[in-house]
Amino acid sequence: MLAMKPDCERCGTDLPASAPGAFICSFECTFCAECADELDERCPNCRGELVDRPTRAKAATPPAAA
């Protein structure tokens, strides 16, 4: 399950898990859309690609293990 960090690591903008507009790398470093654009969609920590983070329903619970 994604960590869904609550704010941008660069500027501190709030990024609720239920709202669009967050970008993550494969290590779940999290940035707002403005910072991701300024970083040319590259994570400054690992140089990985920043992609749209999926949103999570407000009342979501993890699925039961199969």
Side-chain angles (χ1 to χ4, degrees):
M1 180 183 303
L2 288 174
M4 303 298 265
K5 296 174 184 170
D7 53 10
C8 176
E9 293 183 28
R10 187 169 182 239
C11 72
T13 295
D14 288 337
L15 299 170
S18 61
F23 287 76
I24 60 171
C25 71
S26 63
F27 291 102
E28 299 179 17
C29 299
T30 306
F31 301 92
C32 68
E34 184 175 324
C35 286
D37 189 48
E38 290 174 7
L39 294 166
D40 199 27
E41 282 76 35
R42 287 281 161 206
C43 178
N45 303 320
C46 69
R47 301 303 301 154
E49 181 182 13
L50 292 173
V51 297
D52 286 319
R53 180 183 76 180
T55 57
R56 184 175 289 160
K58 290 181 182 180
T61 57

